[in-house]
Amino acid sequence: MRIVSLAGGIGGARFLRGLKAAAPDAEITVIGNTGDDITLFGLRVCPDLDTVMYTLGGGINEEQGWGREKETHAVKEELAAYGVEPQWFGLGDRDFATHIVRSQMLEAGYPLSQITEALCARWQPGVRLIPMSDDRCETHVVITDERGKRAIHFQEWWVRMRASVPAESIALVGVDTAKPAPGVLEAIAEADVVILPPSNPVVSVGTILQVPGIRDAVAAKTVVGVSPIIGGAPVRGMADATLAAIGVETSAQAVLELYGRPLLDGWLVAQEDAGVALDGVTVQARPLLMSDPDATRALAGAALDLALDLAR
Ligand code: GDP
Ligand code: CA
């Protein structure tokens, strides 16, 4: 069985761990979001790819959901002692090594997809992890604050401002000329089913779907999504701020309509959202909280079962 999944960071990675447990013999290809990528201190940082790699490879800081376990912060402290900005982005010493290897390989001319494969040779995540594109596209956010109206990098809005200033719009800079990374369209074409984890529908899954060619390729398959919204609120984090920026209500119904037809064939919602409906989409209510490994495996198994049923 071949499964393709589009993933952001924490929500995607946790779901994928459940999917691996639910389908141990499946070949899983993960198309990772690179819209969150940022260059810091001359190093290329790919937070969502790394969150998936560390989570599935057993190196994640479980409590935090991102970054390495047993982390120290000597480099960050030394940079701060020099007064070097930014100081709002948390990079641990172990994590720095990943960004150094990646940046060195980029400098040597390797595409991000090959670099990701090389990093995964160490972590053995048990899935094939491919960035959505080898071309650089970054999510930027338009805000107005005391300095006026301006566009800032998504990470500055998300991490430094904790999305406290409303986003007037969100743009994926560079996407017009971006191509899917080698293997992305092939993996989708060969997939039996595509599963959308409860990743952020705007700045994770929505970003991947904007890369020319990916949305159409996915829509041609049997696709089941899991709602990241339960009872009108994100389960974790600030997805409501990104939905507001594109004029979409924070509800399982509105996210279902945002993905819509022909993209989606099935949609999993929480029990309290059981009334959600859209023509042409099979909606099922299931326990949606990834509270522990068993619950996460059951959720991923339910998404996969529905997808396989609909594919028949
Ligand atoms: P990020 O890149 O680290 O922000 O992570 P993702 O985009 O992959 O996932 C973030 C989304 O995961 C948020 O919108 C949350 O609402 C959602 N999420 C987190 N934990 C859970 C959970 O246990 N169940 C469900 N259904 N959604 C979750
Ligand atoms: Ca992310």
Side-chain angles (χ1 to χ4, degrees):
M1 180 171 37
R2 295 194 175 120
I3 307 171
V4 162
S5 195
L6 316 186
I10 303 179
R14 290 199 170 147
F15 180 84
L16 289 167
R17 202 153 53 178
L19 189 61
K20 268 175 66 184
D25 299 325
E27 241 176 70
I28 304 174
T29 300
V30 177
I31 299 166
N33 172 39
T34 56
D36 292 15
D37 295 6
I38 186 167
T39 300
L40 296 167
F41 317 112
L43 301 175
R44 193 67 179 154
V45 180
C46 302
D48 286 359
L49 293 180
D50 290 349
T51 296
V52 170
M53 183 174 78
Y54 295 154
T55 302
L56 300 184
I60 199 78
N61 177 327
E62 288 289 346
E63 259 121 77
Q64 208 169 245
W66 54 272
R68 292 287 314 280
E69 62 177 347
K70 302 196 194 89
E71 193 53 290
T72 52
H73 294 88
V75 174
K76 187 175 196 280
E77 284 159 29
E78 290 295 315
L79 288 166
Y82 283 110
V84 178
E85 294 291 341
Q87 296 179 14
W88 44 261
F89 202 86
L91 291 177
D93 298 329
R94 292 175 188 275
D95 199 22
F96 259 111
T98 304
H99 313 316
I100 290 170
V101 174
R102 176 185 293 121
S103 304
Q104 210 170 20
M105 290 186 74
L106 280 170
E107 186 65 25
Y110 289 96
L112 184 62
S113 51
Q114 281 182 34
I115 298 168
T116 305
E117 201 180 324
L119 294 170
C120 285
R122 170 185 175 193
W123 288 103
Q124 295 291 317
V127 300
R128 180 165 175 227
L129 175 62
I130 318 180
M132 64 189 199
S133 179
D134 280 335
D135 301 314
R136 194 161 151 167
C137 3
E138 287 181 358
T139 304
H140 288 223
V141 174
V142 174
I143 58 154
T144 303
D145 63 3
E146 63 284 354
R147 289 172 52 192
K149 185 177 174 116
R150 61 208 173 95
I152 58 175
H153 192 286
F154 170 73
Q155 297 292 359
E156 186 173 1
W157 181 63
W158 195 250
V159 176
R160 184 171 80 81
M161 300 180 171
R162 309 290 308 156
S164 58
V165 180
E168 289 161 33
S169 59
I170 298 181
L172 187 56
V173 179
V175 75
D176 297 351
T177 53
K179 292 176 296 299
V184 166
L185 295 182
E186 292 81 353
I188 297 168
E190 288 166 5
D192 295 302
V193 293
V194 176
I195 310 279
L196 306 183
S199 282
N200 187 306
V202 185
V203 294
S204 293
V205 177
T207 302
I208 301 168
L209 290 172
Q210 277 180 64
V211 177
I214 294 188
R215 177 183 288 272
D216 289 346
V218 170
K221 309 303 291 193
T222 302
V223 183
V224 168
V226 178
S227 176
I229 309 297
I230 300 182
V235 178
R236 191 175 192 280
M238 309 166 289
D240 46 335
T242 57
L243 286 165
I246 61 164
V248 173
E249 185 188 280
T250 300
S251 70
Q253 177 70 41
V255 177
L256 166 61
E257 288 168 16
L258 172 67
Y259 286 145
R261 290 285 299 157
L263 188 78
L264 276 186
D265 301 284
W267 186 235
L268 294 191
V269 299
Q271 308 289 348
E272 53 261 59
D273 295 313
V276 161
L278 185 70
D279 264 1
V281 179
T282 303
V283 178
Q284 289 183 349
R286 292 284 180 277
L288 238 55
L289 280 182
M290 301 188 283
S291 39
D292 59 63
D294 285 345
T296 309
R297 177 167 39 79
L299 173 60
L304 182 58
D305 286 347
L306 175 57
L308 292 173
D309 270 357
L310 294 172
R312 260 178 227 127

